[in-house]
Amino acid sequence: MNVPVLTIVVPCYNEEETLEETTKELTRVMENLVSNKKISSESSILYVDDGSSDRTWEIVEEKIVSNIYVQGLKLSRNFGHQGALIAGLETAKDFSDCVVTIDADLQDDVDAIYQFIDKYQEGYEIVYGVRDKRDTDTAFKRNTALWFYKLMEKLGVKLVPNHADYRLMSKRALDEFVKYQEENLFLRGIVPLLGFKTSKVFYNRKERFAGESKYPLKKMIAFAFDGITSFSVAPIRFVSFLGFLLVLIGILIAIYTLFAKLFSFTTSGWTSLMLSIWIVGGMQLLAIGIIGEYIGKIFKETKRRPRYTIEQNSFLEKRKGQIIDFIKK
Ligand code: UDP
Ligand code: MG
């Protein structure tokens, strides 16, 4: 069995209060895995400092010197949780066989990493950490998160419920992942799109170890909005549908107003007003919807997502076998 090089990517934004404990915990896991020959001793913990304004980076620099596992990446400013994760993944990909991403606040159970590695050894390319219970989150956060998953599902975006960004990805999955070159990259939506053999590991989510959540309501809403608009054109389609409906209603109202004008007394001007409001209004909305449809197409095109991902190619494998046979001779 080959021993993989593991990198644990940890995004950090103003985490001076948690880094000490987080490093201790992650180092413990690393040491256990290395001494059990589950991972290579070249494995590392990669802290990604997302433009913190506190002592986060200083602490990381200290750790780089004092702890053989710790490596650091400092971003030039705050790019947000997703940006920090992507920076970490793209950096780690080139010198790791598999990468685990985890938050700095120890809310996710670090011991689940043992199971992640076992699953990886069984041949899974992506392993999702899924929260068993969410009773340590506030009721508000739990409910809003649940609505969000439901809404996303309705809009046709595949997400893994109760999974945040605690997961393992193999080098192979990462190589495919970096082909998704879109600006607004919503990790939780993209990873399931990669396909491959995936598995889940369940764990209990704990309270934040120290410090405050870096995800206030404002950021949560922005995150949800980004998630929806970077995956779905459903809102645009809804406008088209509304326009179409309004034109239909407009036609009915037009018939009614014309009848009213012909067969009963109506105030002068009423008919023409009614007609223009309904017909013109409906047509405008329909036109916006149609323009929206085209914008939706452009939106999809500009993402330049890969059109497919090959998991196995017998052609290549045969060639590889032939080459190996040739070398052996
Ligand atoms: N984080 C980041 N950049 C940000 C906000 C957060 O790198 O702009 C990091 C943060 O340091 C933590 C992780 O993302 O490691 C998750 O943030 P947090 O725990 O505050 O979110 P919550 O668990 O409350 O959703
Ligand atoms: Mg947290």
Side-chain angles (χ1 to χ4, degrees):
M1 195 166 68
N2 60 328
V3 247
V5 177
L6 165 73
T7 303
I8 303 181
V9 169
V10 191
C12 309
Y13 178 57
N14 293 344
E15 296 284 4
E16 60 180 10
E17 290 166 278
T18 60
L19 276 185
E20 201 63 47
E21 188 67 20
T22 306
T23 308
K24 218 158 71 193
E25 284 287 288
L26 289 176
T27 306
R28 174 177 62 81
V29 173
M30 277 290 191
E31 276 171 349
N32 279 335
L33 284 168
V34 170
S35 62
N36 290 329
K37 306 237 168 10
K38 296 269 188 182
I39 59 169
S40 152
S41 55
E42 275 152 52
S43 299
S44 46
I45 302 166
L46 177 63
Y47 286 120
V48 184
D49 175 18
D50 186 19
S52 300
S53 52
D54 66 356
R55 289 188 55 248
T56 298
W57 182 246
E58 278 166 60
I59 301 173
V60 172
E61 278 183 316
E62 265 168 41
K63 297 284 170 214
I64 294 173
V65 178
S66 64
N67 184 316
I68 52 160
Y69 295 112
V70 174
Q71 301 291 338
L73 198 66
K74 186 181 192 306
L75 302 188
S76 59
R77 63 168 168 87
N78 181 242
F79 283 87
H81 184 202
Q82 301 283 299
L85 279 172
I86 294 163
L89 286 174
E90 288 193 352
T91 307
K93 169 180 92 70
D94 297 329
F95 52 84
S96 326
D97 297 308
C98 54
V99 177
V100 166
T101 46
I102 187 170
D103 290 351
D105 55 10
L106 293 178
Q107 279 192 284
D108 305 314
D109 183 8
V110 295
D111 291 327
I113 295 175
Y114 300 124
Q115 284 161 275
F116 282 12
I117 296 294
D118 287 342
K119 295 274 184 195
Y120 170 77
Q121 292 289 15
E122 284 166 32
Y124 291 98
E125 308 276 349
I126 300 168
V127 186
Y128 297 104
V130 177
R131 285 166 244 184
D132 235 351
K133 290 185 233 132
R134 292 190 64 143
D135 44 13
T136 50
D137 277 331
T138 58
F140 175 75
K141 189 147 193 159
R142 228 169 31 227
N143 283 320
T144 46
L146 209 68
W147 292 336
F148 177 63
Y149 291 125
K150 286 234 170 86
L151 180 67
M152 290 294 270
E153 204 173 290
K154 284 248 156 60
L155 295 177
V157 187
K158 263 210 288 178
L159 289 182
V160 179
N162 286 327
H163 157 72
D165 288 299
Y166 187 27
R167 73 175 82 80
L168 175 142
M169 288 171 82
S170 68
K171 181 171 168 53
R172 185 142 185 235
L174 285 171
D175 281 337
E176 288 306 318
F177 166 76
V178 294
K179 291 186 189 163
Y180 288 74
Q181 286 292 339
E182 55 206 76
E183 263 283 312
N184 292 302
L185 200 130
F186 183 65
L187 266 168
R188 271 172 238 183
I190 294 285
V191 178
L193 284 186
L194 297 175
F196 292 125
K197 223 175 131 190
T198 61
S199 182
K200 290 177 189 166
V201 166
F202 293 89
Y203 69 96
N204 281 333
R205 190 161 158 98
K206 295 177 238 168
E207 307 253 10
R208 192 174 231 286
F209 163 69
E212 277 172 7
S213 171
K214 273 65 185 177
Y215 261 102
L217 183 62
K218 203 176 118 205
K219 268 195 188 169
M220 260 166 69
I221 292 174
F223 181 66
F225 203 74
D226 258 7
I228 292 167
T229 52
S230 63
F231 266 88
S232 170
V233 290
I236 294 177
R237 192 136 298 160
F238 181 69
V239 173
S240 305
F241 169 75
L242 217 64
F244 187 67
L245 201 73
L246 226 62
V247 168
L248 276 186
I249 296 174
I251 290 171
L252 292 180
I253 289 196
I255 295 169
Y256 163 72
T257 46
L258 287 176
F259 265 96
K261 183 167 174 65
L262 286 178
F263 300 111
S264 65
F265 174 79
T266 58
T267 324
S268 79
W270 178 77
T271 316
S272 54
L273 262 182
M274 281 300 271
L275 283 178
S276 39
I277 288 172
W278 282 94
I279 299 278
V280 175
M283 270 160 53
Q284 273 176 345
L285 209 56
L286 187 62
I288 292 174
I290 290 171
I291 294 171
E293 289 287 329
Y294 284 98
I295 294 180
K297 294 271 176 334
I298 297 170
F299 156 88
K300 282 189 172 161
E301 285 296 324
T302 51
K303 288 188 180 301
R304 315 231 104 230
R305 285 186 183 169
R307 273 176 295 235
Y308 54 83
T309 297
I310 294 170
E311 182 158 348
Q312 274 182 22
N313 180 343
S314 73
F315 199 66
L316 273 183
E317 270 145 34
K318 212 165 125 196
R319 290 275 304 267
K320 210 157 68 189
Q322 282 167 353
I323 292 170
I324 290 170
D325 286 347
F326 180 77
I327 294 170
K328 274 188 192 150
K329 276 181 213 155

